[in-house]
């Protein structure tokens, strides 16, 4: 069983829709949670990162962490065609050790239809 | 502001050939990483360097070697390429959390090297 599970999609939604992307994980030691966006033939770029449980909002993006369920989500409001990309979740037990690696999900491919 | 720069962007090798992938960052980051990305597998850590002068194995180090040439540069070498090493390779870097030596902020990635081994 992978430490981090992410539905690969593809997920196709119309422009303006609310998008929900999710990951589940098995390691209860994870405390730091990230979402990366990766455009085709580009490297991942950090979108959001959060610590422990709760919500964090940045413009049209909201990251949500539920540690009791080992479940994280990324919501995109008013989705735009420019949001079409692969979204990777990632998590780590702590920032306090270089040996505490970041574990990535395999990514969900998202397509926003104009 | 270049960030993380990887060269080359594309490469085709024959089985048994060797090559070195180059990575340089201009953000004064202490830590650097090499990942490979394969369909359905996500990003897997090959090697990392927590600081200049140190390197450590990641999840999938077999068949690879690394050199942390200086604070800016971290290279990945394939001594004898195999078809199983066909992948997209990403270099990343991160800075330390202030007051926590050895810790790391989220990573910044280059745009990758697409490597095919025939």
């Amino acid at each position: 069983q992978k430490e981090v599970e992410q539905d690969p999609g593809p997920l196709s939604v119309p422009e303006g829709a609310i998008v929900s992307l999710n990951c589940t994980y098995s390691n209860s030691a994870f405390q730091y949670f990230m979402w990366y966006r990766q455009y085709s033939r580009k490297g991942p770029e950090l979108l959001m990162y959060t610590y422990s449980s709760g919500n964090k909002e940045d413009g049209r993006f909201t990251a949500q962490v539920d540690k009791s369920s080992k479940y994280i989500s990324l919501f995109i409001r008013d989705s735009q065609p420019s949001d079409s990309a692969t979204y990777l979740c990632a998590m780590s037990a702590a920032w306090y050790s270089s040996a505490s690696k970041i574990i990535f999900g395999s990514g969900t491919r998202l397509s926003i239809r104009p | 502001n270049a960030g993380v720069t990887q060269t080359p962007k594309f490469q085709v090798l024959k089985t048994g050939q060797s090559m070195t992938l180059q990575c340089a960052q201009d953000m004064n980051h202490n830590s650097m990483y090499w990942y490979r990305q394969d369909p359905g597998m996500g990003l897997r850590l090959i090697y990392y360097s927590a600081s200049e002068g140190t390197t450590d194995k990641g999840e999938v180090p077999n068949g690879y070697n690394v050199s942390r040439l200086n604070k800016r540069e971290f290279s990945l070498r394939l001594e004898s390429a195999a078809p199983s090493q066909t992948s997209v390779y990403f270099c990343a870097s991160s800075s330390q959390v202030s007051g926590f030596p050895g810790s790391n902020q989220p990573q910044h990635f280059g745009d990758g090297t697409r490597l095919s081994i025939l």
Side-chain angles (χ1 to χ4, degrees), chain B residues 24-103:
Chain B
Q25 52 92 9
D26 62 2
M27 295 175 283
N28 200 35
H29 286 170
N30 289 305
S31 301
M32 298 186 73
Y33 311 80
W34 276 106
Y35 290 89
R36 59 179 290 174
Q37 187 176 40
D38 302 291
M41 301 294 289
L43 285 157
R44 292 183 292 169
L45 184 65
I46 304 171
Y47 270 94
Y48 69 101
S49 172
S51 61
E52 188 177 354
T54 68
T55 60
D56 286 287
K57 294 178 180 179
E59 181 185 354
V60 288
N62 290 344
Y64 305 95
N65 285 300
V66 291
S67 295
R68 183 74 182 267
L69 303 170
N70 48 55
K71 190 171 185 179
R72 289 187 64 247
E73 299 173 286
F74 188 37
S75 63
L76 178 72
R77 183 163 178 82
L78 286 70
E79 290 291 351
S80 179
S84 61
Q85 294 178 305
T86 293
S87 188
V88 182
Y89 291 86
F90 288 101
C91 176
S93 68
S94 65
S95 60
Q96 292 180 344
V97 175
S98 178
F100 292 93
S103 63

Side-chain angles (χ1 to χ4, degrees), chain A residues 83-111:
Chain A
D83 295 327
S84 297
T86 296
Y87 289 79
L88 307 168
C89 65
M91 45 200 80
S92 176
W95 294 132
Y96 305 136
S97 167
S98 58
S100 181
K101 312 295 188 299
I102 296 178
I103 307 299
F104 288 84
S106 55
T108 298
R109 194 151 52 101
L110 173 65
S111 176

Side-chain angles (χ1 to χ4, degrees), chain A residues 2 36 38 41 43 95 98 101, chain B residues 37 40 102-104 107 114:
Chain A
K2 293 181 181 178
Y36 283 82
Q38 186 176 18
R41 298 192 173 276
W95 294 132
S98 58
K101 312 295 188 299
Chain B
Q37 187 176 40
S103 63
N104 292 285
Q107 296 167 11
R114 281 154 185 80

Side-chain angles (χ1 to χ4, degrees), chain A residues 23-82:
Chain A
C23 287
T24 59
Y25 61 96
S26 58
N27 188 346
S28 58
F30 288 146
Q31 297 188 77
Y32 293 86
F33 303 91
M34 291 144 280
W35 285 95
Y36 283 82
R37 178 175 62 194
Q38 186 176 18
Y39 291 116
S40 180
R41 298 192 173 276
K42 291 291 187 180
E45 59 175 319
L46 182 67
L47 207 53
M48 298 188 73
Y49 73 97
T50 58
Y51 169 70
S52 196
S53 287
N55 293 357
K56 183 176 182 179
E57 188 173 319
D58 184 0
R60 296 184 296 110
F61 298 90
T62 299
Q64 195 172 78
V65 175
D66 181 349
K67 289 189 70 180
S68 62
S69 302
K70 298 190 180 67
Y71 189 87
I72 68 170
S73 300
L74 178 71
F75 298 97
I76 307 174
R77 291 184 300 280
D78 187 24
S79 56
Q80 304 294 310
S82 59

